[in-house]
Amino acid sequence: MSSLRQLTSSLLMATGLLFLAACGGGDNARVTLKLTDAPGDTFEKAVVTISKVYLKGDVDGEEGKGDVVLLSEPVTTDLLTLANDAADLVKDAEVPPGRYKELRFVITGGYIQVKQDGGSRIFATSPSYEGLPEGAQVDGDLQMPSAASSGLKVKFDKDADVTITSDDDQKVILVDFDVAQSFGKEAGNSGKWVMRPVIKGADLQFSGNVEVTLQLQDGLGFPVPGTAQLSGFSAVLVNADGSRETLPFTATTSAVFVADFKYLLPGTYQVDVVAPEGVSFTTDLARPAAATVGSGAEAHVDFTLTSIGF
């Protein structure tokens, strides 16, 4: 079974042959599908097997015949490795011009690993699920209602259709799988988990990012030299659903540190700063600060430390 990072020539060959056979290749556009994970820090692993991905809509001149398969080779990936990143799930697939309303993901298995009862527990769709690590002990069930039959619907940003024309040299679609919002414990004491996916899609040209900077106020230094530096601080991004992502600050100059949250769908996010353990601080901005990401735009939140204590 392929991993996401092994989808290279074999996947390109499979998708290329599929569309050349089905559509002739003449006026088709090329579509790349990128998979990312929305902010989240609750789970240790969230592994799924994606067995099929297809677009639904209307191919030009063939209304109602818009099902176009983008992926038919099973791919297994840990969604948590995709936070603040985007990996190619499908690359350069040929798609006939038309208007497409949604993507469908057929997921045929998976498991999550969570911290629970002072330890680490695994919940899987089956004790024999092929994506499980060798020798893994399955502690409970993970249910995925209808995921393996009709597939999971991925609506595009603001319910807008994606139009693909023969003039498109490349169309890139970003699929944002919100792990933190997609898995939850079943009510009661059954010990089961259920996947009710929160997945959103958008043209990659409409995704954005939030750049967070951190610097010291002029004349301010660390009370105990060498005990903490700005590189020990982290930025926290929270989306509208409450999912969180944490990134460490890295130096760009001797005085300014940056954390860049990438591949974000348009919307409003909350941004905060976290200090190393035992360090207290204040900033010039009220925390958390709001950041609004527009289509294809970069939002900036600039924090200046105004006091530091231990």
Side-chain angles (χ1 to χ4, degrees):
M1 187 172 294
S2 301
S3 70
L4 190 61
R5 300 190 185 279
Q6 292 172 327
L7 286 181
T8 51
S9 58
S10 60
L11 179 57
L12 278 169
M13 183 178 295
T15 53
L17 289 174
L18 171 67
F19 286 104
L20 286 172
C23 310
D27 296 323
N28 295 337
R30 294 188 178 275
V31 170
T32 291
L33 187 65
K34 290 182 176 289
L35 189 64
T36 189
D37 168 31
D41 57 7
T42 303
F43 298 85
E44 294 179 311
K45 288 184 179 294
V47 175
V48 295
T49 296
I50 302 169
S51 294
K52 181 180 179 182
V53 180
Y54 60 101
L55 281 165
K56 291 188 70 68
D58 296 318
V59 174
D60 285 355
E62 298 182 72
E63 187 172 347
K65 297 182 178 180
D67 288 4
V68 178
V69 177
L70 300 178
L71 172 70
S72 58
E73 175 89 12
V75 174
T76 298
T77 184
D78 183 354
L79 297 169
L80 297 185
T81 64
L82 302 174
N84 208 46
D85 196 1
D88 290 344
L89 181 60
V90 175
K91 188 172 178 62
D92 291 339
E94 293 192 27
V95 175
R99 292 176 63 86
Y100 297 93
K101 299 180 181 298
E102 65 185 34
L103 279 162
R104 290 285 181 96
F105 273 61
V106 177
I107 299 179
T108 51
Y111 79 90
I112 57 174
Q113 186 170 344
V114 297
K115 292 180 180 179
Q116 188 173 318
D117 301 328
S120 183
R121 304 186 68 190
I122 291 177
F123 298 83
T125 51
S126 167
S128 59
Y129 168 57
E130 294 182 4
L132 285 165
E134 186 175 352
Q137 175 183 329
V138 176
D139 300 293
D141 295 333
L142 172 63
Q143 298 179 338
M144 296 183 174
S146 75
S149 53
S150 59
L152 307 171
K153 297 179 182 180
V154 180
K155 300 293 288 185
F156 296 115
D157 185 42
K158 298 179 181 177
D159 289 335
D161 296 349
V162 167
T163 300
I164 296 175
T165 72
S166 58
D167 295 328
D168 287 324
D169 178 55
Q170 178 71 255
K171 180 70 88 173
V172 181
I173 299 173
L174 177 69
V175 178
D176 191 351
F177 199 124
D178 193 331
V179 170
Q181 300 300 319
S182 296
F183 297 91
K185 290 190 68 174
E186 190 178 65
N189 298 315
S190 66
K192 295 180 180 179
W193 283 69
V194 181
M195 185 178 81
R196 295 184 176 89
V198 176
I199 312 176
K200 302 173 184 178
D203 260 324
L204 188 57
Q205 62 184 317
F206 295 132
S207 69
N209 66 298
V210 174
E211 183 181 87
V212 186
T213 65
L214 182 68
Q215 61 184 329
L216 293 173
Q217 181 177 272
D218 288 344
L220 182 66
F222 287 92
V224 183
T227 57
Q229 299 296 330
L230 291 183
S231 57
F233 285 71
S234 297
V236 177
L237 183 80
V238 183
N239 68 10
D241 295 316
S243 297
R244 299 164 57 90
E245 181 179 356
T246 302
L247 282 180
F249 282 101
T250 57
T252 56
T253 70
S254 60
V256 179
F257 286 68
V258 173
D260 193 5
F261 296 92
K262 302 176 181 178
Y263 305 111
L264 302 175
L265 297 184
T268 299
Y269 298 80
Q270 298 297 311
V271 182
D272 206 345
V273 175
V274 176
E277 186 175 355
V279 177
S280 61
F281 68 97
T282 59
T283 63
D284 59 332
L285 297 181
R287 304 181 4 250
T292 300
V293 177
S295 297
E298 179 176 83
H300 294 266
V301 179
D302 302 315
F303 291 101
T304 297
L305 295 184
T306 54
S307 70
I308 302 173
F310 290 87

